[in-house]
């Protein structure tokens, strides 16, 4: 097997971990295939005074499985999720912390977050303003977006590059692509990568209600709320969680006899340069990211068999993403399969691309496509094959995962079957 592709070391995925409203990996993947929704009435606070009372919450989660209780109390919820997903991925890869520390200067962490630990920031603000209680010395530091990545590197003892990208909803996908490039350019031999978000807080929900971004009218039927590409979609569902991958050189993976899920072939990012919240209506930014990612992978567009779409369930996003896919793939757009993981998970913001990347990789690995649930009424503007409502066996060689974020930040990554 060739160890070099297009002049670069080949980069493969050997371990994955996820903390999601559908459980951890691999339970998460099994529930995706079964078309099960993780959207429920909010349980972490009383949402009765809000128009939207549903979200994709991670329930029954114990951070002390991997983190000492005293330390866990000082950490924010995003760091709990990130460390858990990363250590699950390490275990899935057949590696130990001792393995990492034996090559520690060649191991990088490239793990993003969009918003950081707002739970801790809110705690600090509330305590100071209502009780005059000065925040603890590390409370605000623990709330900033790069701290989950810090905790992963500290727990593992990884001394290579430590990177935290924060590109809104594109964060997880952007991080995976950036991790690939760390290995390509020989800055690391192994990277723990992914993304995380945990901000199901009352003012977070209220803010997105004000923006008119959330799905409304589903408080009594939460599982029906996220409806990507359906004519009657009316917004996304706020969610939380983390996804992690272990990336390493193909050469190293072969030498240690690792199971290889897939190869990371290419990535690209682009800007809409248009609006803080609305997608550029011609699809130019999204199309550029897709086209450039495919070029970076050394492929022609008609080689892509499957696209895990951003598919957020908003009227504008789903129509523009479909339009952009038609620009990139032309007639082939009607031959490939596309689906939306958000139909079951909701939108994990900075964690979305990471958990959707896992779904894309597992589709290649098992040759099966999970469904886009709640696609009941076709939209004439969204007329591609979105794998509606039931999983499907498929013959897949190359796949792409899309993430398009607030601020017009777009990222796409291409995977290949090994």
């Amino acid at each position: 097997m060739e160890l070099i592709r297009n002049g670069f070391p080949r980069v493969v995925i050997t371990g994955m971990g996820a903390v999601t409203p559908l459980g951890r990996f691999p339970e998460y993947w099994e529930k995706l295939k079964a078309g099960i929704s993780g959207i429920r009435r909010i349980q972490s606070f009383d949402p009765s005074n809000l128009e939207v009372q549903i979200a994709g919450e991670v329930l029954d989660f114990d951070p002390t499985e991997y983190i000492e209780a005293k330390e866990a109390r000082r950490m924010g919820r995003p760091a709990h999720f990130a460390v858990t997903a990363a250590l699950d991925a390490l275990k899935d890869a057949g590696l130990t912390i001792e393995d990492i520390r034996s090559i520690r200067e060649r191991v990088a962490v490239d793990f993003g977050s969009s918003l950081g630990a707002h739970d801790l920031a809110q705690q600090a603000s509330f305590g100071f303003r209502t009780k005059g209680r000065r925040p603890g010395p590390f409370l605000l530091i623990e709330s900033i977006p790069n701290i989950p990545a810090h905790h992963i590197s500290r727990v593992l003892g990884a001394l290579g590059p430590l990177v935290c990208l924060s590109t809104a909803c594109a964060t997880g996908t952007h991080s995976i692509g950036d991790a690939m490039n760390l290995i390509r350019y020989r800055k690391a031999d192994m990277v723990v990568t992914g993304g995380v978000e945990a901000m199901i807080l009352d003012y977070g929900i209220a803010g997105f209600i004000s923006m008119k971004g959330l799905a409304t009218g589903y408080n009594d039927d939460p599982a029906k709320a996220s409806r990507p590409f359906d004519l009657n979609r009316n917004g996304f569902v706020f969610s939380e969680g983390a996804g992690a991958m272990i990336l390493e050189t193909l050469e190293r993976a072969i030498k240690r006899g690792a199971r290889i899920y897939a190869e990371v072939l290419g990535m690209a990012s682009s800007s809409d340069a248009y609006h803080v919240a609305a997608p550029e209506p011609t699809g130019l930014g999204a199309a550029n990211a897709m086209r450039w990612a495919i070029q970076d992978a050394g492929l022609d567009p008609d080689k892509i068999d499957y696209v895990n779409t951003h598919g957020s369930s908003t009227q504008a996003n789903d129509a523009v993403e479909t339009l952009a896919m038609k620009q990139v793939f032309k007639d082939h757009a009607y031959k490939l399969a596309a689906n939306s993981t958000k139909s079951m998970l909701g939108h994990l913001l900075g964690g979305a691309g990471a958990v959707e990347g896992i779904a894309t990789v597992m589709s290649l690995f098992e040759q099966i496509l999970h469904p886009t649930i709640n696609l009941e009424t076709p939209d004439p503007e969204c007329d591609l094959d979105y794998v509606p409502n039931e999983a499907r066996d498929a013959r897949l060689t190359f796949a792409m995962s899309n993430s398009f974020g607030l601020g017009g930040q777009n990222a796409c990554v291409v995977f290949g079957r090994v």
Side-chain angles (χ1 to χ4, degrees):
M1 186 179 293
E2 294 292 331
L3 302 178
I4 302 295
R5 184 188 294 275
N6 300 327
F8 296 115
R10 293 176 66 180
V11 181
V12 295
I13 301 157
T14 56
M16 298 190 287
V19 177
T20 80
L22 290 176
R24 286 156 65 177
F25 181 79
E27 177 190 15
Y28 154 63
W29 170 241
E30 294 302 319
K31 287 184 176 178
L32 283 183
K33 289 188 293 183
I36 297 171
S37 174
I39 311 304
R40 312 172 185 86
R41 179 178 173 82
I42 293 169
Q43 298 185 28
S44 56
F45 64 88
D46 182 2
S48 299
N49 65 329
L50 296 174
E51 180 184 358
V52 175
Q53 301 169 9
I54 62 173
E57 285 184 298
V58 174
L59 303 177
D60 304 319
F61 173 75
D62 179 9
T64 64
E65 178 180 347
Y66 288 129
I67 307 166
E68 291 184 4
K70 182 178 179 180
E71 184 178 7
R73 286 193 294 271
R74 293 196 294 260
M75 294 164 62
R77 191 164 169 86
H80 293 160
F81 289 169
V83 169
T84 299
L87 290 178
D88 277 355
L90 193 72
K91 182 178 179 181
D92 186 54
L95 294 166
T96 66
I97 290 176
E98 289 71 28
D99 292 326
I100 297 300
R101 293 184 176 182
S102 70
I103 56 166
R104 60 195 311 183
E105 293 182 353
R106 299 299 300 167
V107 180
V109 175
D110 197 321
F111 209 95
S113 176
S114 177
L115 295 167
H118 272 247
D119 55 335
L120 294 184
Q122 179 178 240
Q123 177 186 330
S125 174
F126 182 81
F128 182 73
R129 291 181 175 177
T130 63
K131 301 179 181 179
R133 187 170 63 231
R134 187 166 58 189
F138 300 115
L139 195 59
L140 289 179
I141 293 173
E142 286 281 352
S143 73
I144 58 181
N146 71 305
I147 295 302
H150 152 74
H151 281 298
I152 293 171
S153 69
R154 179 188 56 79
V155 168
L156 297 180
L159 297 180
L162 175 58
V163 181
C164 172
L165 296 173
S166 185
T167 50
C169 318
T171 296
T173 298
H174 205 161
S175 297
I176 294 167
D178 193 62
M180 174 198 68
N181 281 329
L182 285 176
I183 296 176
R184 272 184 171 182
Y185 290 100
R186 296 172 172 84
K187 305 298 184 182
D189 297 324
M190 181 181 294
V191 187
V192 183
T193 187
V196 63
E197 213 71 77
M199 197 192 159
I200 299 180
L201 303 169
D202 52 2
Y203 69 90
I205 300 292
F208 278 106
I209 291 173
S210 296
M211 200 174 75
K212 301 188 184 302
L214 298 184
T216 58
Y218 294 97
N219 291 337
D220 295 327
D221 195 4
K224 291 288 188 180
S226 187
R227 315 180 63 81
F229 307 107
D230 185 83
L231 180 66
N232 298 313
R233 65 192 183 276
N234 71 355
F236 71 90
V237 177
F238 208 58
S239 190
E240 65 177 356
M245 292 181 179
I246 305 296
L247 271 54
E248 56 186 304
T249 62
L250 175 61
E251 180 178 13
R252 178 177 174 79
I254 290 173
K255 282 183 178 178
R256 69 179 189 86
R259 171 193 52 207
I260 297 172
Y261 283 111
E263 183 174 0
V264 191
L265 293 171
M267 72 84 60
S269 62
S270 71
S271 173
D272 281 0
Y274 176 71
H275 190 275
V276 69
E280 196 280 324
T282 71
L284 176 63
N288 280 340
M290 285 188 269
R291 186 179 296 111
W292 296 341
I294 295 167
Q295 289 173 354
D296 190 49
L299 300 173
D300 293 324
D302 62 6
K303 295 297 183 182
I304 301 297
D305 302 302
Y306 158 54
V307 177
N308 185 295
T309 67
H310 183 66
S312 66
S313 186
T314 66
Q315 282 288 336
N317 175 86
D318 293 1
V320 169
E321 184 169 14
T322 300
L323 177 63
M325 288 175 63
K326 292 176 183 177
Q327 292 173 24
V328 172
F329 295 107
K330 300 185 171 36
D331 290 344
H332 184 63
Y334 292 95
K335 300 175 184 177
L336 55 75
N339 60 10
S340 172
T341 306
K342 291 184 182 72
S343 65
M344 290 169 276
L345 278 190
H347 196 338
L348 278 71
L349 303 184
V355 297
E356 291 162 13
I358 290 171
T360 310
V361 167
M362 287 305 297
S363 296
L364 285 170
F365 189 67
E366 292 192 354
Q367 297 287 283
I368 188 170
L369 296 164
H370 75 64
T372 302
I373 67 168
N374 299 322
L375 212 175
E376 298 168 344
T377 306
D379 180 346
E381 288 190 83
C382 301
D383 58 349
L384 304 182
D385 175 10
Y386 305 109
V387 194
N389 302 310
E390 292 186 3
R392 179 194 306 165
D393 292 333
R395 296 182 63 181
L396 308 172
T397 304
F398 301 109
M400 182 166 64
S401 184
N402 290 345
S403 293
F404 308 133
L406 297 169
Q409 294 181 292
N410 310 303
C412 301
V413 62
V414 177
F415 302 102
R417 184 173 170 83
V418 177

